[in-house]
mmCIF file of all heavy atoms in Angstrom:
data_model
loop_
_atom_site.group_PDB
_atom_site.id
_atom_site.type_symbol
_atom_site.label_atom_id
_atom_site.label_comp_id
_atom_site.label_asym_id
_atom_site.label_seq_id
_atom_site.Cartn_x
_atom_site.Cartn_y
_atom_site.Cartn_z
ATOM 1 N N THR A 3 -9.431 -75.293 -147.783
ATOM 2 C CA THR A 3 -8.550 -74.932 -146.672
ATOM 3 C C THR A 3 -9.216 -73.922 -145.752
ATOM 4 O O THR A 3 -9.143 -74.034 -144.518
ATOM 5 C CB THR A 3 -7.220 -74.363 -147.197
ATOM 6 O OG1 THR A 3 -6.633 -75.295 -148.111
ATOM 7 C CG2 THR A 3 -6.250 -74.113 -146.050
ATOM 8 N N LEU A 4 -9.869 -72.913 -146.333
ATOM 9 C CA LEU A 4 -10.587 -71.934 -145.511
ATOM 10 C C LEU A 4 -11.713 -72.612 -144.735
ATOM 11 O O LEU A 4 -11.885 -72.376 -143.531
ATOM 12 C CB LEU A 4 -11.153 -70.825 -146.399
ATOM 13 C CG LEU A 4 -10.136 -69.865 -147.021
ATOM 14 C CD1 LEU A 4 -10.809 -68.962 -148.050
ATOM 15 C CD2 LEU A 4 -9.440 -69.025 -145.957
ATOM 16 N N ALA A 5 -12.476 -73.463 -145.410
ATOM 17 C CA ALA A 5 -13.562 -74.176 -144.734
ATOM 18 C C ALA A 5 -13.002 -75.093 -143.643
ATOM 19 O O ALA A 5 -13.565 -75.181 -142.546
ATOM 20 C CB ALA A 5 -14.365 -74.993 -145.742
ATOM 21 N N GLY A 6 -11.901 -75.771 -143.950
ATOM 22 C CA GLY A 6 -11.294 -76.658 -142.958
ATOM 23 C C GLY A 6 -10.830 -75.915 -141.725
ATOM 24 O O GLY A 6 -10.987 -76.407 -140.595
ATOM 25 N N SER A 7 -10.266 -74.712 -141.922
ATOM 26 C CA SER A 7 -9.813 -73.940 -140.760
ATOM 27 C C SER A 7 -10.996 -73.535 -139.888
ATOM 28 O O SER A 7 -10.906 -73.527 -138.654
ATOM 29 C CB SER A 7 -9.023 -72.708 -141.214
ATOM 30 O OG SER A 7 -9.846 -71.789 -141.898
ATOM 31 N N LEU A 8 -12.135 -73.220 -140.515
ATOM 32 C CA LEU A 8 -13.332 -72.877 -139.752
ATOM 33 C C LEU A 8 -13.853 -74.082 -138.968
ATOM 34 O O LEU A 8 -14.302 -73.954 -137.825
ATOM 35 C CB LEU A 8 -14.418 -72.352 -140.688
ATOM 36 C CG LEU A 8 -14.121 -70.995 -141.363
ATOM 37 C CD1 LEU A 8 -15.111 -70.726 -142.485
ATOM 38 C CD2 LEU A 8 -14.151 -69.868 -140.341
ATOM 39 N N LEU A 9 -13.777 -75.268 -139.563
ATOM 40 C CA LEU A 9 -14.215 -76.484 -138.866
ATOM 41 C C LEU A 9 -13.282 -76.819 -137.705
ATOM 42 O O LEU A 9 -13.739 -77.254 -136.638
ATOM 43 C CB LEU A 9 -14.291 -77.651 -139.849
ATOM 44 C CG LEU A 9 -15.375 -77.544 -140.932
ATOM 45 C CD1 LEU A 9 -15.281 -78.712 -141.895
ATOM 46 C CD2 LEU A 9 -16.763 -77.486 -140.294
ATOM 47 N N VAL A 10 -11.988 -76.621 -137.906
ATOM 48 C CA VAL A 10 -11.036 -76.858 -136.817
ATOM 49 C C VAL A 10 -11.297 -75.876 -135.677
ATOM 50 O O VAL A 10 -11.247 -76.239 -134.493
ATOM 51 C CB VAL A 10 -9.586 -76.740 -137.330
ATOM 52 C CG1 VAL A 10 -8.597 -76.761 -136.160
ATOM 53 C CG2 VAL A 10 -9.267 -77.881 -138.290
ATOM 54 N N ALA A 11 -11.583 -74.611 -136.019
ATOM 55 C CA ALA A 11 -11.915 -73.620 -134.993
ATOM 56 C C ALA A 11 -13.178 -74.032 -134.243
ATOM 57 O O ALA A 11 -13.278 -73.850 -133.015
ATOM 58 C CB ALA A 11 -12.095 -72.242 -135.629
ATOM 59 N N THR A 12 -14.144 -74.589 -134.964
ATOM 60 C CA THR A 12 -15.370 -75.073 -134.321
ATOM 61 C C THR A 12 -15.058 -76.172 -133.314
ATOM 62 O O THR A 12 -15.589 -76.174 -132.189
ATOM 63 C CB THR A 12 -16.348 -75.622 -135.387
ATOM 64 O OG1 THR A 12 -16.636 -74.599 -136.340
ATOM 65 C CG2 THR A 12 -17.648 -76.079 -134.737
ATOM 66 N N ALA A 13 -14.183 -77.099 -133.701
ATOM 67 C CA ALA A 13 -13.792 -78.180 -132.789
ATOM 68 C C ALA A 13 -13.131 -77.617 -131.535
ATOM 69 O O ALA A 13 -13.371 -78.083 -130.415
ATOM 70 C CB ALA A 13 -12.851 -79.146 -133.499
ATOM 71 N N GLY A 14 -12.299 -76.576 -131.727
ATOM 72 C CA GLY A 14 -11.649 -75.954 -130.580
ATOM 73 C C GLY A 14 -12.641 -75.327 -129.627
ATOM 74 O O GLY A 14 -12.525 -75.465 -128.403
ATOM 75 N N GLN A 15 -13.657 -74.655 -130.177
ATOM 76 C CA GLN A 15 -14.644 -74.019 -129.308
ATOM 77 C C GLN A 15 -15.546 -75.039 -128.622
ATOM 78 O O GLN A 15 -15.993 -74.826 -127.494
ATOM 79 C CB GLN A 15 -15.470 -73.025 -130.116
ATOM 80 C CG GLN A 15 -14.653 -71.795 -130.512
ATOM 81 C CD GLN A 15 -15.483 -70.655 -131.051
ATOM 82 O OE1 GLN A 15 -15.063 -69.956 -131.957
ATOM 83 N NE2 GLN A 15 -16.653 -70.449 -130.495
ATOM 84 N N LEU A 16 -15.812 -76.161 -129.301
ATOM 85 C CA LEU A 16 -16.590 -77.220 -128.653
ATOM 86 C C LEU A 16 -15.824 -77.807 -127.467
ATOM 87 O O LEU A 16 -16.424 -78.106 -126.418
ATOM 88 C CB LEU A 16 -16.922 -78.316 -129.665
ATOM 89 C CG LEU A 16 -18.010 -77.974 -130.695
ATOM 90 C CD1 LEU A 16 -18.105 -79.065 -131.754
ATOM 91 C CD2 LEU A 16 -19.361 -77.788 -130.002
ATOM 92 N N LEU A 17 -14.529 -77.960 -127.621
ATOM 93 C CA LEU A 17 -13.726 -78.462 -126.504
ATOM 94 C C LEU A 17 -13.793 -77.512 -125.308
ATOM 95 O O LEU A 17 -13.909 -77.936 -124.157
ATOM 96 C CB LEU A 17 -12.268 -78.643 -126.938
ATOM 97 C CG LEU A 17 -11.919 -79.945 -127.657
ATOM 98 C CD1 LEU A 17 -10.486 -79.893 -128.173
ATOM 99 C CD2 LEU A 17 -12.085 -81.136 -126.708
ATOM 100 N N LEU A 18 -13.715 -76.203 -125.596
ATOM 101 C CA LEU A 18 -13.768 -75.212 -124.524
ATOM 102 C C LEU A 18 -15.168 -75.114 -123.918
ATOM 103 O O LEU A 18 -15.329 -74.991 -122.703
ATOM 104 C CB LEU A 18 -13.350 -73.842 -125.051
ATOM 105 C CG LEU A 18 -11.883 -73.660 -125.459
ATOM 106 C CD1 LEU A 18 -11.691 -72.333 -126.168
ATOM 107 C CD2 LEU A 18 -10.972 -73.758 -124.257
ATOM 108 N N GLY A 19 -16.192 -75.175 -124.783
ATOM 109 C CA GLY A 19 -17.554 -74.936 -124.323
ATOM 110 C C GLY A 19 -18.238 -76.120 -123.686
ATOM 111 O O GLY A 19 -19.170 -75.948 -122.889
ATOM 112 N N LEU A 20 -17.797 -77.332 -124.021
ATOM 113 C CA LEU A 20 -18.470 -78.522 -123.507
ATOM 114 C C LEU A 20 -17.684 -79.245 -122.424
ATOM 115 O O LEU A 20 -18.161 -80.237 -121.870
ATOM 116 C CB LEU A 20 -18.760 -79.499 -124.657
ATOM 117 C CG LEU A 20 -19.686 -78.977 -125.771
ATOM 118 C CD1 LEU A 20 -19.851 -80.027 -126.854
ATOM 119 C CD2 LEU A 20 -21.042 -78.573 -125.195
ATOM 120 N N THR A 21 -16.498 -78.774 -122.137
ATOM 121 C CA THR A 21 -15.671 -79.411 -121.103
ATOM 122 C C THR A 21 -15.185 -78.344 -120.128
ATOM 123 O O THR A 21 -15.343 -77.150 -120.356
ATOM 124 C CB THR A 21 -14.460 -80.125 -121.718
ATOM 125 O OG1 THR A 21 -13.604 -79.143 -122.335
ATOM 126 C CG2 THR A 21 -14.886 -81.137 -122.777
ATOM 127 N N SER A 22 -14.578 -78.789 -119.074
ATOM 128 C CA SER A 22 -14.049 -77.865 -118.059
ATOM 129 C C SER A 22 -12.777 -78.440 -117.447
ATOM 130 O O SER A 22 -12.624 -78.499 -116.229
ATOM 131 C CB SER A 22 -15.087 -77.614 -116.960
ATOM 132 O OG SER A 22 -16.270 -77.053 -117.488
ATOM 133 N N SER A 23 -11.858 -78.854 -118.300
ATOM 134 C CA SER A 23 -10.607 -79.426 -117.805
ATOM 135 C C SER A 23 -9.430 -78.720 -118.455
ATOM 136 O O SER A 23 -9.509 -78.321 -119.625
ATOM 137 C CB SER A 23 -10.539 -80.922 -118.114
ATOM 138 O OG SER A 23 -10.352 -81.143 -119.487
ATOM 139 N N PRO A 24 -8.329 -78.546 -117.741
ATOM 140 C CA PRO A 24 -7.148 -77.889 -118.318
ATOM 141 C C PRO A 24 -6.630 -78.553 -119.591
ATOM 142 O O PRO A 24 -6.327 -77.846 -120.560
ATOM 143 C CB PRO A 24 -6.126 -77.948 -117.174
ATOM 144 C CG PRO A 24 -6.967 -77.948 -115.935
ATOM 145 C CD PRO A 24 -8.166 -78.772 -116.286
ATOM 146 N N PRO A 25 -6.524 -79.912 -119.649
ATOM 147 C CA PRO A 25 -6.035 -80.517 -120.897
ATOM 148 C C PRO A 25 -6.929 -80.206 -122.093
ATOM 149 O O PRO A 25 -6.440 -79.919 -123.192
ATOM 150 C CB PRO A 25 -6.033 -82.021 -120.582
ATOM 151 C CG PRO A 25 -5.917 -82.104 -119.101
ATOM 152 C CD PRO A 25 -6.698 -80.930 -118.588
ATOM 153 N N ALA A 26 -8.249 -80.261 -121.897
ATOM 154 C CA ALA A 26 -9.167 -79.948 -122.988
ATOM 155 C C ALA A 26 -9.063 -78.474 -123.388
ATOM 156 O O ALA A 26 -9.155 -78.123 -124.566
ATOM 157 C CB ALA A 26 -10.602 -80.266 -122.576
ATOM 158 N N THR A 27 -8.837 -77.615 -122.423
ATOM 159 C CA THR A 27 -8.672 -76.195 -122.705
ATOM 160 C C THR A 27 -7.418 -75.950 -123.531
ATOM 161 O O THR A 27 -7.431 -75.183 -124.498
ATOM 162 C CB THR A 27 -8.605 -75.385 -121.397
ATOM 163 O OG1 THR A 27 -9.813 -75.568 -120.671
ATOM 164 C CG2 THR A 27 -8.403 -73.904 -121.693
ATOM 165 N N VAL A 28 -6.332 -76.600 -123.156
ATOM 166 C CA VAL A 28 -5.084 -76.470 -123.914
ATOM 167 C C VAL A 28 -5.295 -76.924 -125.354
ATOM 168 O O VAL A 28 -4.886 -76.254 -126.308
ATOM 169 C CB VAL A 28 -3.963 -77.294 -123.243
ATOM 170 C CG1 VAL A 28 -2.752 -77.418 -124.171
ATOM 171 C CG2 VAL A 28 -3.549 -76.642 -121.927
ATOM 172 N N ALA A 29 -5.961 -78.070 -125.523
ATOM 173 C CA ALA A 29 -6.216 -78.577 -126.871
ATOM 174 C C ALA A 29 -7.113 -77.626 -127.653
ATOM 175 O O ALA A 29 -6.872 -77.350 -128.839
ATOM 176 C CB ALA A 29 -6.855 -79.965 -126.795
ATOM 177 N N GLY A 30 -8.154 -77.099 -126.999
ATOM 178 C CA GLY A 30 -9.063 -76.176 -127.666
ATOM 179 C C GLY A 30 -8.376 -74.896 -128.098
ATOM 180 O O GLY A 30 -8.595 -74.406 -129.211
ATOM 181 N N LEU A 31 -7.534 -74.346 -127.227
ATOM 182 C CA LEU A 31 -6.808 -73.128 -127.571
ATOM 183 C C LEU A 31 -5.837 -73.363 -128.719
ATOM 184 O O LEU A 31 -5.716 -72.535 -129.628
ATOM 185 C CB LEU A 31 -6.052 -72.605 -126.352
ATOM 186 C CG LEU A 31 -6.905 -72.013 -125.229
ATOM 187 C CD1 LEU A 31 -6.035 -71.692 -124.020
ATOM 188 C CD2 LEU A 31 -7.621 -70.766 -125.709
ATOM 189 N N ALA A 32 -5.140 -74.505 -128.674
ATOM 190 C CA ALA A 32 -4.194 -74.814 -129.730
ATOM 191 C C ALA A 32 -4.902 -74.977 -131.073
ATOM 192 O O ALA A 32 -4.442 -74.467 -132.105
ATOM 193 C CB ALA A 32 -3.413 -76.085 -129.386
ATOM 194 N N LEU A 33 -6.043 -75.672 -131.072
ATOM 195 C CA LEU A 33 -6.797 -75.865 -132.311
ATOM 196 C C LEU A 33 -7.324 -74.542 -132.850
ATOM 197 O O LEU A 33 -7.241 -74.259 -134.049
ATOM 198 C CB LEU A 33 -7.962 -76.827 -132.067
ATOM 199 C CG LEU A 33 -7.617 -78.314 -131.931
ATOM 200 C CD1 LEU A 33 -8.863 -79.109 -131.548
ATOM 201 C CD2 LEU A 33 -7.023 -78.851 -133.217
ATOM 202 N N GLY A 34 -7.900 -73.722 -131.963
ATOM 203 C CA GLY A 34 -8.447 -72.445 -132.401
ATOM 204 C C GLY A 34 -7.386 -71.527 -132.988
ATOM 205 O O GLY A 34 -7.602 -70.901 -134.031
ATOM 206 N N SER A 35 -6.248 -71.461 -132.347
ATOM 207 C CA SER A 35 -5.180 -70.590 -132.839
ATOM 208 C C SER A 35 -4.560 -71.139 -134.113
ATOM 209 O O SER A 35 -4.183 -70.386 -135.013
ATOM 210 C CB SER A 35 -4.107 -70.423 -131.758
ATOM 211 O OG SER A 35 -4.635 -69.751 -130.641
ATOM 212 N N PHE A 36 -4.452 -72.472 -134.207
ATOM 213 C CA PHE A 36 -3.966 -73.098 -135.435
ATOM 214 C C PHE A 36 -4.875 -72.708 -136.602
ATOM 215 O O PHE A 36 -4.410 -72.305 -137.671
ATOM 216 C CB PHE A 36 -3.929 -74.614 -135.269
ATOM 217 C CG PHE A 36 -3.532 -75.361 -136.509
ATOM 218 C CD1 PHE A 36 -2.199 -75.612 -136.789
ATOM 219 C CD2 PHE A 36 -4.491 -75.810 -137.408
ATOM 220 C CE1 PHE A 36 -1.825 -76.288 -137.948
ATOM 221 C CE2 PHE A 36 -4.142 -76.480 -138.562
ATOM 222 C CZ PHE A 36 -2.800 -76.729 -138.827
ATOM 223 N N ALA A 37 -6.184 -72.831 -136.383
ATOM 224 C CA ALA A 37 -7.152 -72.510 -137.426
ATOM 225 C C ALA A 37 -7.059 -71.042 -137.838
ATOM 226 O O ALA A 37 -7.104 -70.710 -139.025
ATOM 227 C CB ALA A 37 -8.561 -72.830 -136.935
ATOM 228 N N PHE A 38 -6.914 -70.154 -136.862
ATOM 229 C CA PHE A 38 -6.840 -68.730 -137.161
ATOM 230 C C PHE A 38 -5.565 -68.415 -137.940
ATOM 231 O O PHE A 38 -5.567 -67.568 -138.839
ATOM 232 C CB PHE A 38 -6.887 -67.926 -135.854
ATOM 233 C CG PHE A 38 -7.504 -66.569 -136.016
ATOM 234 C CD1 PHE A 38 -8.832 -66.433 -136.383
ATOM 235 C CD2 PHE A 38 -6.765 -65.422 -135.788
ATOM 236 C CE1 PHE A 38 -9.410 -65.173 -136.530
ATOM 237 C CE2 PHE A 38 -7.323 -64.159 -135.934
ATOM 238 C CZ PHE A 38 -8.655 -64.043 -136.308
ATOM 239 N N GLY A 39 -4.454 -69.104 -137.607
ATOM 240 C CA GLY A 39 -3.211 -68.902 -138.343
ATOM 241 C C GLY A 39 -3.338 -69.318 -139.792
ATOM 242 O O GLY A 39 -2.892 -68.606 -140.710
ATOM 243 N N VAL A 40 -3.945 -70.476 -140.037
ATOM 244 C CA VAL A 40 -4.163 -70.935 -141.414
ATOM 245 C C VAL A 40 -5.067 -69.963 -142.160
ATOM 246 O O VAL A 40 -4.797 -69.572 -143.302
ATOM 247 C CB VAL A 40 -4.775 -72.353 -141.418
ATOM 248 C CG1 VAL A 40 -5.184 -72.755 -142.840
ATOM 249 C CG2 VAL A 40 -3.789 -73.369 -140.846
ATOM 250 N N TRP A 41 -6.161 -69.581 -141.526
ATOM 251 C CA TRP A 41 -7.110 -68.656 -142.161
ATOM 252 C C TRP A 41 -6.419 -67.361 -142.572
ATOM 253 O O TRP A 41 -6.622 -66.874 -143.685
ATOM 254 C CB TRP A 41 -8.267 -68.350 -141.211
ATOM 255 C CG TRP A 41 -9.187 -67.306 -141.754
ATOM 256 C CD1 TRP A 41 -9.039 -65.946 -141.681
ATOM 257 C CD2 TRP A 41 -10.362 -67.527 -142.537
ATOM 258 N NE1 TRP A 41 -10.059 -65.316 -142.340
ATOM 259 C CE2 TRP A 41 -10.887 -66.260 -142.880
ATOM 260 C CE3 TRP A 41 -11.035 -68.677 -142.951
ATOM 261 C CZ2 TRP A 41 -12.040 -66.115 -143.626
ATOM 262 C CZ3 TRP A 41 -12.196 -68.517 -143.701
ATOM 263 C CH2 TRP A 41 -12.689 -67.258 -144.033
ATOM 264 N N ASN A 42 -5.626 -66.780 -141.692
ATOM 265 C CA ASN A 42 -4.988 -65.500 -141.976
ATOM 266 C C ASN A 42 -4.081 -65.584 -143.198
ATOM 267 O O ASN A 42 -4.071 -64.680 -144.049
ATOM 268 C CB ASN A 42 -4.188 -65.021 -140.765
ATOM 269 C CG ASN A 42 -5.071 -64.438 -139.687
ATOM 270 O OD1 ASN A 42 -6.176 -63.982 -139.953
ATOM 271 N ND2 ASN A 42 -4.602 -64.467 -138.447
#
């Protein structure tokens, strides 16, 4: 679960870092925050 949350956070940052669109940003933020919530 901890490893999975880190991988989900990675996916979120890839969406933010490799794209420049509002929908991708929304998805990236949601994934990153989801992962951080699980990790905590």
Side-chain angles (χ1 to χ4, degrees):
T3 306
L4 290 171
S7 66
L8 293 168
L9 293 176
V10 171
T12 302
Q15 289 192 217
L16 286 172
L17 277 173
L18 292 171
L20 299 178
T21 64
S22 300
S23 71
T27 300
V28 168
L31 289 173
L33 285 174
S35 295
F36 176 88
F38 209 64
V40 172
W41 174 276
N42 283 336

